[in-house]
Amino acid sequence: VGGREVTKTVRVDADPRIQMAAADYQAQLAGALEVRDLVSQVNGVIDRTEDLRKQLAGLVEQLQRPVAAAASDGNDGAAADSAALAAVKRVLDQVNDLRGRLNRPPPRMGYRQYPRLREELQSLGGAISRPVAPPTESQQRRLGELRQETTAVVGELNQLVTQTVPELNRLLGGRPHIIAGAPLR
């Protein structure tokens, strides 16, 4: 304040009414931080799939116009346009499938859904971080399962980004391309 800096060392102790070892606090922190990192990864996949979905849906709309016009004119180019449109729709279906496993769509009246990966992680994160206790054995086991599921969806997205979309762009030739970005880590 006013060019003057004042510092003091502060010691923060645990609540003396709660008997928990320092190692248990560390285990709780480690579990909570891992869940946070997994949620961040899943959010990255959700963001990327939403971007891909918008690009692919726009491309479907663009490609449908010439296909319909060429088919009505009896144009031979309609087959090539139809093949490109079908390929884009297949990739869009893959992206929608991946996205659908990550988080729930907005709620609708009377529509019940099972929790998706992001909701499972958020629920586990609360279960680990809220109580003053180390993660239970079942929470640690579930964290391991969710870690594997997260690794799998990141791998699926990276497969789309590094292989599927470049193949689609080659097939599209001179038509507009999809910008997929770099793989996620």
Side-chain angles (χ1 to χ4, degrees), residues 34-111:
E34 183 173 1
V35 170
R36 178 208 59 192
D37 293 344
L38 292 173
V39 169
S40 292
Q41 280 186 304
V42 170
N43 286 339
V45 175
I46 289 169
D47 290 346
R48 186 69 68 83
T49 56
E50 182 60 19
D51 179 57
L52 288 171
R53 189 194 65 72
K54 286 178 181 176
Q55 289 183 65
L56 290 161
L59 191 53
V60 164
E61 191 175 304
Q62 281 184 331
L63 291 173
Q64 282 177 333
R65 283 185 238 130
V67 168
S72 67
D73 294 342
N75 186 338
D76 291 339
D81 287 341
S82 293
L85 178 60
V88 172
K89 284 182 176 181
R90 276 192 305 276
V91 175
L92 179 58
D93 288 344
Q94 288 178 309
V95 170
N96 284 334
D97 176 62
L98 177 59
R99 175 67 191 265
R101 289 180 278 136
L102 299 175
N103 71 315
R104 294 183 225 192
R108 296 184 180 102
M109 288 294 281
Y111 192 67

Side-chain angles (χ1 to χ4, degrees), residues 28 120-136 139:
Q28 183 183 29
E120 291 277 344
L121 283 164
Q122 290 170 333
S123 176
L124 180 63
I128 288 174
S129 62
R130 276 192 298 267
V132 183
T136 64
Q139 289 170 338

